[in-house]
Amino acid sequence: MFTLTSLLIFLFGCAAILLLIFFSFYCFFIMYDIIPPMRVPRPIKRSFGRETEFMEDQSIRPFKLVYCENEFEKIKNKIKMDLDSMGSLHPISSEEVCYGMNINYIKDVADYWVNKFDWQRHVNTLNFSRQFVTQISGLDIHFIHVKPPQVISASITAYPILLLHSFPTSGIQYTAYEFSSLIPLLVTNNGSRIIFEVVAPTLPGHGWSEAASEAGLDGCQAGFIMHELMTRLGYTKYFIHGGGPGGLVAEQIAAIHPE
């Protein structure tokens, strides 16, 4: 005669056996690819530029940010005009921002941009390495391409790496300020047998990469553009690093091109 305890033990044992059988069959199906793989979104080769029908210019053109004194003077004058229009405004409190941005803080920032910010130095910083532009999917895509400065010997392996920026920094800002100390370490041999060739593009709609004029430019399509860039530069396999939106695009590239 079964007691309640023995009955529960029997039922738990049967459940464990059934789970084991199910798990064994599941592993068997996965091993032999009987279960279809997860569906991966596939990008469509199309134009996101102003012209939907186009002959893509695959040339790679040099790019450099030019310091134009007249243009920066226009910016400074515009800021000064905005400062003058704020002359009669006074904050509710001296420091708090609970009623909106503090007007005193805005005045300090504007004064810094007009009188203290070194525009020329920062332009030079943004031009810290060679930059290029090429057209992909109807859009001009800006990117930085840095190769190792020294001759690579047979004992050193050079790997291409794609660096994708985050948000809200634009590609050139992220590359110049965040990667300016990283890129020299990646392309310089400091006794290691591994060295990198760096490609750091600006995602579409950021910095000097053209924004889409047509709907549909999602992470999958951005991944297609970034992979097309690497292919155009001659790289079939490469490492990827991305942060924020750049990380999402990197995931799409890895899913679409696992090889």
Side-chain angles (χ1 to χ4, degrees):
M1 184 174 180
F2 289 104
T3 63
L4 180 60
T5 302
S6 59
L7 180 61
L8 290 175
I9 294 174
F10 174 76
L11 292 175
F12 278 118
C14 291
I17 293 173
L18 290 174
L19 286 174
L20 181 61
I21 294 173
F22 173 79
F23 182 73
S24 300
F25 274 102
Y26 178 80
C27 293
F28 174 81
F29 290 150
I30 290 293
M31 183 179 297
Y32 290 97
D33 294 330
I34 297 176
I35 296 179
M38 183 181 298
R39 183 177 179 273
V40 177
R42 295 294 175 184
I44 302 173
K45 187 173 183 179
R46 51 165 291 194
S47 172
F48 290 98
R50 296 181 180 87
E51 299 179 4
T52 55
E53 296 182 3
F54 69 104
M55 289 292 293
E56 192 163 86
D57 180 9
Q58 297 190 2
S59 64
I60 297 175
R61 310 182 299 277
F63 176 90
K64 186 176 182 180
L65 181 62
V66 179
Y67 178 81
C68 181
E69 184 65 35
N70 291 336
E71 291 299 320
F72 286 109
E73 283 300 321
K74 290 180 182 178
I75 296 175
K76 291 180 181 180
N77 290 333
K78 177 66 169 62
I79 297 175
K80 290 178 181 177
M81 291 175 60
D82 292 338
L83 275 175
D84 293 339
S85 66
M86 298 177 190
S88 60
L89 298 178
H90 301 281
I92 295 177
S93 62
S94 59
E95 297 180 356
E96 293 183 3
V97 294
C98 55
Y99 295 100
M101 183 56 65
N102 188 283
I103 192 64
N104 287 339
Y105 176 76
I106 293 178
K107 290 179 180 179
D108 290 340
V109 172
D111 178 70
Y112 171 78
W113 278 87
V114 172
N115 300 312
K116 301 175 184 178
F117 187 78
D118 190 341
W119 297 82
Q120 178 68 76
R121 183 175 68 84
H122 285 277
V123 168
N124 294 338
T125 301
L126 294 174
N127 287 324
F128 82 100
S129 61
R130 298 180 66 191
Q131 303 170 51
F132 305 89
V133 173
T134 190
Q135 188 182 78
I136 306 175
S137 295
L139 303 175
D140 280 343
I141 302 300
H142 164 268
F143 65 97
I144 288 175
H145 191 193
V146 185
K147 294 184 177 182
Q150 72 271 23
V151 178
I152 301 176
S153 64
S155 61
I156 300 175
T157 304
Y159 294 102
I161 183 169
L162 176 65
L163 302 180
L164 300 176
H165 64 84
S166 182
F167 182 84
T169 53
S170 69
I172 184 63
Q173 289 174 332
Y174 189 72
T175 303
Y177 294 106
E178 309 262 347
F179 289 161
S180 59
S181 58
L182 174 63
I183 289 179
L185 297 176
L186 293 174
V187 300
T188 304
N189 178 27
N190 295 316
S192 173
R193 301 175 68 177
I194 297 176
I195 204 169
F196 292 94
E197 296 183 6
V198 177
V199 179
T202 304
L203 295 174
H206 295 73
W208 285 278
S209 281
E210 190 176 356
S213 298
E214 299 288 332
L217 183 52
D218 55 12
C220 180
Q221 292 293 153
F224 169 82
I225 292 174
M226 295 298 105
H227 179 72
E228 181 67 20
L229 171 63
M230 296 299 285
T231 302
R232 188 170 297 180
L233 294 174
Y235 303 122
T236 55
K237 293 185 177 182
Y238 49 90
F239 290 96
I240 309 176
H241 165 80
L248 297 177
V249 175
E251 290 179 359
Q252 294 291 331
I253 297 174
I256 298 169
H257 302 283
E259 71 282 1

